[in-house]
Amino acid sequence: MTRGRPRRPWDRTPPEQREYFDLLGEGLVAQLAAPSAPDAGSRGDAPASGAWLHVGPDGIVRAFTGKAEVGQGTRTALGLLVAEELRLPLERIELEMADTDLCPWDMGTFGSRSMPDAGPALRAAAAGAREALLDLAAAARSLPRDRLEAREGEVRLRGATSGTPYAELVRGLREVRTIDRKIGLTPPSAWERAGHPVADPRGADVVTGRRAYVSDLRPPGLQYGAVLHPPRYGARLRHAEPGPEPLPAGTRLVVEPPFVGAVGPSPRLARAALAQVRADWILPEPNDVDVEAYLRSHPRTEESWDRVEDRAGDPDHALASATVTVRATYRTAYVAHVPLETRAAVAEWEGRRLTVWVGTQTPFRARDHVAEALAMSVDDVRVIVPFTGAGFGGKHGGDVATAAARLARAVGCPVALQYSREEEFRFGYFRPMAIIDIAAGAEKDGRLSAWTFHNTNAGAAALRTPYRVAHRRIDNELSESPLPQGAYRSLAANTNNFARESVMDELAARLGIDPLEFRRKNLEDERLRAVLDRAADRSGWGGWVPRAGWGHGLALGFEKSGRVATVAEVEVRGERDLRVRRLVTAFEAGAIVHPRNLLSQVEGAAVQAIGGALFEEIRTRAGRVLNPRLSQYRVPRFSDLPEIEVVLLDRPDLPPAGGGETPMIATAPAIANAIFDATGRRVRHLPLLGKEPTAPTDRPSTENLTPAAG
Amino acid sequence: MTGGTVDHGIRLTVNGREVAVAPHPDRSLLEVLRYELGLTGTKYGCGEGECGACTVLVDGGPARACQLPVAEVEGAMILTVEGLARDGALTDVQRAFVETGAFQCGFCTPGMVVRATGLLARNPHPSDGEIREALDGNLCRCGGYTRIREAVRRAAEAAAPGGSP
Ligand code: FES
Ligand code: FES
């Protein structure tokens, strides 16, 4: 399942010492200088992505990037960009992704960075390879270079219908070209392959079950593992020992405190063995907290990329004199990612060298994590991300990789480890719970005049307002969390956008101005206006026939170079009984590379957003998740599907941005605003159908944390 | 990997091949498929009958392999996603999923394809409501329901040239 292994990972080997041709065979290599692996620090100054590729005498181009495919369609989108610059059909491109031995260092697949980072790097490497092929052909055929062009995998005399195939030009060659990052790229307006609809060239593998995901890998001699987890978040192992019962046949315990695991011929048997272990835990204090009070009283003070501060004018004064004001607190719950494939890894040792296949969005960080945990040289750890059943920000880090590696080391054969669904819920991390305190004011003429916005524990994404407002105070507080929390598809943008777009609606309602008009009046950004107008037009904004219980709402958002507007239509039948009937989303993220995939991403984001908007909520008590099963944690199903209409705006004049995250951020507020339109009731918490949280002081500490039924 | 040489235990037919597996009360059909027969196209998503990633056809009808003790399917004909395509030719449903781009991560796809196959076998021209009902037990966390519905519609059309049943 894997290519041979270099002496040292190529990202840690000087370019001139990389044994490209020993592993890939003869041919032409085009490489962009990779950034040297830094200690992965802040996200603000992300180093540029590296890229290299190999043109082989079989006519196949192998392009290497450190980004991972986690179900967001990057593989095909990046393949299209390479195909475009090399003037090759997509089928001739093989993308080698997220293999830490062979791929350029990368900090991780998150934040919609694959298109803006890896895209230009791969395009540059491919353009450089194309230029090199033209040089080779000119030399081989003694033709003037400027009369040649690359077309359909051949170098041809301009206008000719055939020429010399790349395969022929690189036969017997062992040449490495280093490509200048500033090399000219084919502009999106001239794209012939990228930007056009294509089917996934490997789609047949998916529908026949041939595609092997992490949990499907079966190297020879494979055994299956299980690991002991703490009974609640923060508990530490005091002591563990095997119980008196005999272990199931073929199983073994691995006790390396604080790590305890088991290995056996199937996951069930490994778990059965683990169940014999007697473990004694040190439980954390305090055992129970009011989460909101805790978050408000436990600020974190360290420097972080995840803070924003934007102040101007005198917001307090402007609030005092505004025609209408809104003062409100918005709240969002902890939410789980629930990737359909749970965390999984397979580890295999060859002497002191280790390979781990793992579903992670941060393979290079996972490599560091494993090396440190097992006291190994980073050079001896290879992390490969095969196909994985999605991530949504939930598969950062290297815990499961490390555990699999420990088990495999202890028993001397390859070991697969896969979390059960319950473990995935209990021992992953969540989208942060957050509290947003807002005070805003507007004038009679519809001008936004004051805006103060402070969030606790959400993060900085989409914190700034896209609306013109002279007097403002916008900032955020990061907190210690009583539960594990981390990245999530578009992260804080969901939360911040929900609060902001809801309050914009509240202001419009108090002024008696149409919410669309109110937004238009205060919006500066032309691209946002464009998506807003498209979504409004397509939805038929304002032209509805009134129906009891039905309502419409709109919201917009911008983040990570993407612009989105969503119109929601809902039918409210009772306090907890609501159907989203229609969602119209207009989205723009620069030039479109892979229209079909972008459409899927935007539709999928809408569906996933419905879950967080309406019903997704992790409930806990005393550091334990109370609803760690799919029967207790509801995610959107077919029957929740509204009519979804997507309008994609293509901007070939702008560089392609990522499309996996931003399209979801306007959905929740659009639905909340539609509920208000239908009922006059303003719901200020996510999930909208969840119990209304009350201020921390007037509730007992465990209210709102009741166990799930069933 | 096959249990075909074992001459005792539970016999069943998987994708046209007869196999015998050791009985065990805790052993599900999913476990047998994934860990004994090497048929990893059938996925684990929840183990409690909630996600449909493990959907297979048992005597032609869709079932959740994670909820089936293997002893209960003794003598049954099991069809998994690997057994749908004959001689490498995709079925209408499979082709429709590829052409429609009805997957993102693709992890739910085998279960969806099998469930849709079961639906169309029983009801070649399902309404949208019938598609929704049939597939409601299959989760796609990537949110691909619109595309999936379109794929099922397309497969139904493909199976009925000229639109007539
Ligand atoms: S794994 Fe069987 S229904 Fe989820
Ligand atoms: S495509 Fe990822 S779960 Fe359906």
Side-chain angles (χ1 to χ4, degrees):
Chain A
M1 44 193 180
T2 304
R3 228 166 255 298
R5 195 161 182 181
R7 285 182 299 276
R8 285 184 77 192
W10 279 347
D11 70 310
R12 297 170 53 82
T13 305
E16 64 286 355
Q17 289 171 25
R18 291 181 198 142
E19 57 281 63
Y20 285 126
F21 304 105
D22 295 351
L23 265 76
L24 306 174
E26 63 197 35
L28 169 74
V29 165
Q31 62 178 15
L32 281 192
S36 53
D39 15 16
S42 72
R43 184 137 68 159
D45 49 357
S49 275
W52 45 78
L53 60 80
H54 173 264
V55 185
D58 52 0
I60 299 293
V61 172
R62 291 179 179 82
F64 295 79
T65 170
K67 294 290 177 198
E69 168 66 55
V70 288
Q72 79 284 41
T74 306
R75 176 178 292 274
T76 304
L78 292 176
L80 277 168
L81 292 173
V82 173
E84 182 63 52
E85 293 298 345
L86 271 160
R87 321 287 191 241
L88 268 176
L90 180 61
E91 292 70 31
R92 302 260 295 275
I93 313 294
E94 274 178 21
L95 221 60
E96 308 262 0
M97 301 179 73
D99 174 337
T100 61
D101 259 15
L102 301 182
C103 296
W105 184 90
D106 181 81
M107 71 175 178
T109 303
F110 49 71
S112 289
R113 300 305 305 165
S114 294
M115 292 318 282
D117 292 349
L122 283 166
R123 284 167 78 191
R130 183 192 66 226
E131 294 306 310
L133 289 161
L134 289 170
D135 294 345
L136 289 169
R141 294 166 60 192
S142 316
L143 284 167
R145 169 85 163 61
D146 56 5
R147 287 184 52 211
L148 297 175
E149 63 176 357
R151 271 200 136 357
E152 299 301 321
E154 297 177 344
V155 176
R156 299 176 180 173
L157 272 173
R158 265 181 207 288
T161 53
S162 68
T164 315
Y166 299 167
E168 211 167 289
L169 292 169
V170 302
R171 201 156 290 146
L173 198 68
R174 293 168 88 89
E175 185 176 327
V176 177
R177 288 263 184 134
T178 300
I179 311 299
D180 184 348
R181 282 178 186 272
K182 295 198 196 70
I183 188 169
L185 302 178
T186 309
S189 54
W191 283 349
E192 290 177 12
R193 301 176 202 280
H196 300 276
V198 289
D200 183 337
R202 292 187 185 77
D205 290 348
V206 181
V207 298
T208 54
R210 270 201 307 268
R211 171 179 286 182
Y213 294 81
V214 185
S215 56
D216 301 333
L217 300 176
R218 299 285 184 271
L222 184 68
Q223 295 274 301
Y224 299 88
V227 293
L228 190 68
H229 291 286
R232 74 166 73 131
Y233 182 53
R236 283 177 303 123
L237 187 68
R238 192 193 323 261
H239 177 72
E241 62 185 29
E245 314 286 321
L247 293 178
T251 64
R252 269 184 64 181
L253 290 179
V254 177
V255 183
E256 300 174 2
F259 177 87
V260 178
V263 172
S266 76
R268 178 173 56 79
L269 291 169
R271 283 172 204 285
L274 201 58
Q276 311 285 355
V277 172
R278 297 189 160 180
D280 184 17
W281 299 90
I282 305 166
L283 298 178
E285 296 289 337
N287 283 343
D288 206 356
V289 289
D290 178 295
V291 180
E292 179 172 336
Y294 190 95
L295 294 175
R296 286 205 192 260
S297 59
H298 289 72
R300 266 160 49 200
T301 49
E302 77 273 16
E303 284 289 302
S304 168
W305 54 267
D306 203 11
R307 273 203 189 87
V308 157
E309 209 177 287
D310 178 14
R311 281 160 205 248
D314 183 350
D316 297 320
H317 185 260
L319 274 169
S321 62
T323 313
V324 297
T325 54
V326 169
R327 288 173 200 274
T329 296
Y330 279 76
R331 296 177 170 88
T332 63
Y334 287 110
V335 167
H337 310 81
V338 199
L340 200 56
E341 183 181 40
T342 54
R343 284 170 166 69
V346 174
E348 181 170 26
W349 291 81
E350 279 169 274
R352 63 183 168 82
R353 301 193 81 186
L354 168 70
T355 302
V356 192
W357 294 264
V358 57
T360 180
Q361 298 175 240
T362 54
F364 290 85
R365 217 193 283 166
R367 174 177 72 180
D368 295 344
H369 187 287
V370 171
E372 197 189 318
L374 302 187
M376 300 171 64
S377 158
V378 170
D379 289 349
D380 289 332
V381 180
R382 179 182 200 174
V383 171
I384 299 174
V385 184
F387 287 102
T388 180
F392 312 122
K395 288 182 178 168
H396 289 202
D399 288 1
V400 68
T402 304
R406 265 187 213 285
L407 292 171
R409 186 177 61 183
V411 299
C413 63
V415 170
L417 179 63
Q418 182 178 19
Y419 275 14
S420 69
R421 177 57 62 191
E422 185 161 342
E423 289 172 324
E424 178 74 28
F425 271 111
R426 285 196 193 282
F427 309 110
Y429 52 86
F430 310 116
R431 182 176 91 188
M433 173 176 164
I435 310 121
I436 308 101
D437 299 306
I438 303 178
E443 304 306 316
K444 207 194 313 292
D445 61 0
R447 207 165 27 86
L448 188 65
S449 53
W451 187 259
T452 72
F453 188 105
H454 175 83
N455 88 39
T456 305
N457 200 43
L463 187 66
R464 288 175 209 274
T465 174
Y467 301 106
R468 196 182 319 111
V469 56
H471 302 284
R472 60 182 186 267
R473 184 168 62 240
I474 299 170
D475 50 25
N476 68 314
E477 186 102 73
L478 304 174
S479 304
E480 305 293 344
S481 169
L483 289 176
Q485 61 182 28
Y488 181 93
R489 192 174 192 179
S490 70
L491 204 64
N494 284 304
T495 301
N496 289 325
N497 222 54
F498 164 61
R500 183 181 57 242
E501 287 298 302
S502 295
V503 168
M504 288 301 284
D505 225 59
E506 292 201 53
L507 288 170
R510 291 206 187 168
L511 287 166
I513 300 181
D514 178 88
L516 173 63
E517 251 347 281
F518 180 58
R519 284 178 174 80
R520 273 206 187 119
K521 200 170 273 232
N522 290 290
L523 212 50
E524 263 170 342
D525 183 276
E526 281 311 313
R527 292 167 66 190
L528 260 173
R529 274 170 170 279
V531 292
L532 178 63
D533 288 346
R534 289 299 291 276
D537 280 358
R538 169 63 80 96
S539 70
W541 182 260
W544 348 99
V545 182
R547 266 168 98 175
W550 288 60
H552 299 85
L554 66 76
L556 51 78
F558 82 115
E559 175 63 7
K560 310 203 173 87
S561 310
R563 310 285 196 280
V564 64
T566 297
V567 175
E569 177 175 277
V570 304
E571 182 190 359
V572 183
R573 303 185 205 152
E575 178 127 356
R576 295 268 150 69
D577 187 3
L578 173 146
R579 309 284 314 169
V580 179
R581 292 297 180 188
R582 188 172 172 228
L583 286 176
V584 178
T585 290
F587 180 61
E588 185 256 289
I592 299 176
V593 175
H594 186 0
R596 200 159 137 167
N597 183 58
L598 187 61
L599 184 64
S600 289
Q601 287 281 301
V602 177
E603 287 178 352
V607 171
Q608 196 165 52
I610 289 172
L614 295 186
F615 37 69
E616 285 187 42
E617 174 174 25
I618 285 289
R619 282 170 291 124
T620 62
R621 180 186 291 151
R624 269 182 77 84
V625 177
L626 298 173
N627 53 341
R629 308 170 74 167
L630 277 176
S631 54
Q632 299 166 328
Y633 182 97
R634 180 174 165 201
V635 301
R637 292 181 177 277
F638 244 103
S639 49
D640 296 307
L641 181 70
E643 205 182 309
I644 294 179
E645 289 166 59
V646 172
V647 185
L648 297 179
L649 284 72
D650 191 13
R651 289 289 303 264
D653 54 320
L654 296 170
E661 304 193 281
T662 303
M664 84 189 291
I665 68 177
T667 307
I671 294 173
N673 294 340
I675 294 174
F676 177 77
D677 184 46
T679 65
R681 195 158 46 84
R682 177 58 61 183
V683 188
R684 297 195 181 86
H685 54 85
L686 293 183
L688 296 165
L689 298 184
K691 241 203 227 161
E692 175 143 26
T694 43
T697 43
D698 36 85
R699 67 175 162 177
S701 68
T702 54
E703 208 212 359
N704 194 37
L705 301 175
T706 42
Chain B
M1 271 195 283
T2 166
T5 54
V6 181
D7 59 4
H8 60 282
I10 296 168
R11 288 177 180 282
L12 46 153
T13 308
V14 179
N15 299 335
R17 219 175 70 216
E18 207 178 302
V19 298
V21 296
H24 187 287
D26 291 347
R27 183 176 290 173
S28 68
L29 176 60
L30 181 63
E31 179 184 327
V32 168
L33 293 174
R34 290 187 54 79
Y35 303 113
E36 223 169 305
L37 303 180
L39 292 170
T40 54
T42 307
K43 307 298 184 199
Y44 165 85
C46 69
E48 57 163 344
E50 286 285 326
C51 77
C54 64
T55 306
V56 295
L57 296 178
V58 177
D59 295 327
R64 288 174 195 166
C66 73
Q67 296 299 295
L68 279 180
V70 67
E72 272 181 32
V73 289
E74 171 135 46
M77 304 272 281
I78 313 290
L79 198 60
T80 71
V81 68
E82 290 95 340
L84 296 177
R86 288 282 142 84
D87 311 318
L90 299 184
T91 63
D92 288 336
V93 173
Q94 290 173 318
R95 208 163 340 103
F97 269 70
V98 175
E99 286 168 0
T100 317
F103 44 82
Q104 293 175 54
C105 78
F107 199 76
C108 68
T109 311
M112 291 282 183
V113 164
V114 171
R115 188 69 189 78
T117 303
L119 167 68
L120 295 181
R122 189 170 43 79
N123 176 2
H125 302 286
S127 65
D128 281 356
E130 288 166 332
I131 295 175
R132 180 176 62 228
E133 204 173 302
L135 295 182
D136 205 39
N138 287 58
L139 287 179
C140 175
R141 184 54 165 167
C142 299
Y145 299 124
T146 311
R147 303 283 112 204
I148 293 166
R149 184 177 59 196
E150 200 180 311
V152 179
R153 284 184 194 143
R154 184 193 277 244
E157 277 162 29
S164 62

